[in-house]
Amino acid sequence: MTLNTATTLLAPQQLTAQLSETLFTQAKTSENNEQPIVGHERAKEALEFGLAMNGIGFNVFAMGEHGTGRQTLIRQMLTDLAKQQDAPAEWCYINNFDDNHAPHKLYVSPGDGKQLVARINTFIDDLIGLFPELFDNPSYQRQKAAIDREFNQQYDEAIAKVEETALKCNVMLFEEDGEIGFSPVVDGKPLNDKELANLTEEKRNEFYLSLAELENLLSEELIELPKWKRLSTDKLKKLKNETAAQSIQPLLKELEHEFSSNLGVLKYLSKVKAHVVETVLDILVGENNENQKAKDNRKLMVEQFLPNLIVAREPDEGAPVVYEQNPTYQNLFGHVDFATFQGSTYTSYRLIRPGALHKANGGYLLLDAEKVLNQPLVWARLKLAIKTQEVIIENPYSEFSQPGAYSLQPEKIPLKVKIVLLGEPDIYYTLQEYDQEFNELFRVLADFDRHLTNTDDNLIAYANLIRQRAVKHGYPEISDSAIVELVKYALRKEEHQHKVSANIVQINDVLDEANYLWNKSDDQGELTAEHIKLALAAKYRRTGRISETWLSEIKERQVLITTQGKQVGKVNGLTVLEIGESVFGTPARITATVYAGSQGVTDIEREVDLGKSIHSKGFLLLTGYLGHKYGQEFPVSISANIAIEQSYGHIDGDSASMAELCALISAITLLPIHQGIAITGSINQHGEVQSIGGVNEKIEGFYRLCKDRGLTGEQGVIVPRTNVINLMLSSEVIEAVEQGLFAIHAVDDIDQALELLMGTKAGTANSLGRYPRKSIHAMVLDKLSSYADMLEGGE
């Protein structure tokens, strides 16, 4: 019986998108270095809104897949916006002279931080050059000598009085090694111990008595010696302080005048003024100064006075835009370092290191949501920083550190930053559902498209994007035909004739490989479509080992697939296997057996727990169709088994339901199915055919098998008509269709599929619900009726 296939047979031009090379001659590379942005209008509007809002919670979550241009678009928008804004203040940490454990913060205007650091460095150099040589000047030495004379005079007067009394007692006073002693005198000559022992006992006792009286007198006269020394020391210290202060004062005045407009710096300089004299005298003029090197002295001075500029700004650079690739706790919030000096480990405000929040303060910060969530403690502390508008530098594990470990608690710095999180849809929806604070702090969603509509403007911009990258990397000129092939590849990745994949990274990979092949072939002209095709072929070959292995098993009949002849209850379904980067289609034999009984239709895959939920749903829809179609006048009593043969793994998806129904009807009617035609598609309970995924891979997989066994002109594939728009087939398949060696049919309902597979009219019910004799549906009803009669007679 000859069927009219004109309504189902697809023309070659329907098997891929029709693109004109002349369209891409309009595409010109941009003269500036900015990458053109294609599409994403919804995301642009959201970003413009989110970035314009100044409220605390109006941070942005940029949702989209990697490679869709999210980061490029956001960076360009942020950079343009940041240029129009003023540079934020610079922040420093300064020494807290009262509590070194808690350094103070200090803000300065953009560009003033470096100037302040440079001036304090000069100030330190001036101090090192001034001391201790300052105390060698004659004025200071005269005043110091006067204080020493005053002390010496008091001391000498006391000693003279004791010495006068001693002489009257024939005793001589002497000083040796800073100690005062007495010695008896006989005939004007002091006696030593031996001579003293030779004296008579009476004479010795007389001398001992005199010595005791002199000792008491000496103690009485020198009882105020410590007071004299203290007063002398205080006077010397005061003299040093006044001399040092007088010399340092002009240097500080100069600094105060230079930074008179900044109250924070003036307050800091007042604290320096209160402590600089003491510090200078301790470090540069102290007793240990002679043993220290000049370099060490300067380091000690720097540790006391030099501000730690944690982030430098330029006045005309605008607001900062920071992307933190590795958002660890330290990289995001900053940390306190430790250093070694003269064999000891120490830390100070000078060792405070900034994080990305400090660098982006007053501007914009980009973060990868997945990386943030994978870092311990970071997400919770980031939310806290956003809510409190403060950034804290602390050790998050301080409670677990060794008791007594010294650390700093720097003063909190005010935070004003717009945060943009980059993340996949599943991360966004998970946070939205389980983290209430996320909804409060990231109120703006910038949803980036997975695809772009292939309007002329979008395609021209897409070509611009490709050509600009080629110029940037020094590639040869990209021909219009090469652009057509790249755009077709982008359409193929999106599985749609009117939607271009927004994942430009995949397109760039093909372009890079095509350039490699162009260089390898020593071509001198343009990079053409042939280079793109070679690159794609090489890419498929690298990932095609598994698909070739599967095809070889079919060729060796390890997997039974027939592509010629007709068989009852057997049909070639189409499946897609995705293993890593390898995605390919392959046929799978679906069989059905039928016998009288009331057990219903059994899905063998489900019975052995190999069929997953969606596959089971498709199978139940199939049984629903049977009851609805054939069970209006009598109960459908049947026992049948359906299986996907030689399938040993889990199966999911409902794309086999149409093939399963065809195999079942073939088994019921005993009408054979053409084995050269494979079929894919899902059905609903009314027999309408619905779209499936992976249609291109499925068609090409069956085509490769038929080609390997020899194309007869009777082979082909049946797909849902709703999938026609998804067809982006290879040029090889299209050429075979043009030559009549392979056919692709698109069907709307199960009747069209049955007619193509069995070569018999499905039949249309008349007003009485009767189907024409010898039609497929009439034969099904007859067989099911006979089964019902058999069961009723048996009962």
Side-chain angles (χ1 to χ4, degrees), residues 16 116 139 251 268 443-444 465 493 547 651 684 730 741:
T16 187
L116 175 63
S139 174
L251 302 178
Y268 166 60
R443 300 181 185 178
V444 181
L465 191 63
K493 296 301 290 185
S547 63
I651 297 172
N684 60 26
S730 65
L741 299 175

Side-chain angles (χ1 to χ4, degrees), residues 406-522:
Y406 183 79
S407 184
L408 301 181
Q409 292 182 342
E411 193 173 0
K412 301 173 183 177
I413 289 180
L415 179 66
K416 184 181 179 182
V417 64
K418 182 74 70 175
I419 296 178
V420 180
L421 279 182
L422 308 173
E424 303 281 341
D426 56 343
I427 294 178
Y428 174 78
Y429 293 120
T430 300
L431 289 173
Q432 193 178 51
E433 183 173 358
Y434 294 105
D435 191 338
Q436 185 60 40
E437 290 178 321
F438 173 76
N439 297 319
E440 298 173 2
L441 300 177
F442 290 87
R443 300 181 185 178
V444 181
L445 171 65
D447 193 355
F448 282 77
D449 300 320
R450 286 185 53 191
H451 57 263
L452 315 170
T453 305
N454 65 340
T455 61
D456 287 353
D457 290 341
N458 278 347
L459 291 179
I460 291 172
Y462 206 77
N464 257 334
L465 191 63
I466 294 170
R467 283 180 164 145
Q468 188 179 68
R469 188 174 190 278
V471 171
K472 179 180 178 181
H473 290 82
Y475 293 172
E477 186 175 347
I478 311 298
S479 69
D480 295 338
S481 63
I483 294 293
V484 169
E485 290 300 321
L486 288 171
V487 172
K488 283 187 175 181
Y489 177 68
L491 292 167
R492 169 67 179 256
K493 296 301 290 185
E494 197 57 33
E495 289 191 284
H496 205 287
Q497 293 182 4
H498 305 310
K499 295 178 181 179
V500 182
S501 172
N503 193 332
I504 194 65
V505 172
Q506 296 174 332
I507 311 305
N508 291 338
D509 290 344
V510 176
L511 180 62
D512 294 341
E513 186 159 354
N515 177 68
Y516 162 76
L517 295 171
W518 181 87
N519 287 322
K520 189 176 180 181
S521 62
D522 294 328

Side-chain angles (χ1 to χ4, degrees), residues 113-133:
K114 291 181 179 178
Q115 182 183 357
L116 175 63
V117 171
R119 288 295 290 111
I120 297 296
N121 264 317
T122 303
F123 174 66
I124 291 173
D125 291 335
D126 291 341
L127 292 178
I128 293 174
L130 194 61
F131 295 92
E133 287 77 7

Side-chain angles (χ1 to χ4, degrees), residues 592-602 636-642 664 667-668 784 787 791:
T593 58
V594 176
Y595 50 93
S598 58
Q599 295 179 0
V601 183
T602 301
V636 177
S637 299
I638 188 175
S639 292
N641 294 310
I642 297 178
L664 179 60
I668 294 172
L784 293 179
Y787 282 160
L791 290 176

Side-chain angles (χ1 to χ4, degrees), residues 181-195:
F182 296 97
S183 177
V185 176
V186 175
D187 298 330
K189 177 183 177 183
L191 302 179
N192 55 31
D193 291 340
K194 184 178 180 179
E195 291 172 338

Side-chain angles (χ1 to χ4, degrees), residues 642-671:
I642 297 178
I644 299 176
E645 303 290 353
Q646 294 184 282
S647 171
Y648 307 108
H650 290 287
I651 297 172
D652 205 6
D654 59 356
S655 65
S657 57
M658 182 163 63
E660 290 171 336
L661 180 56
C662 291
L664 179 60
I665 291 177
S666 171
I668 294 172
T669 62
L670 299 180
L671 289 174

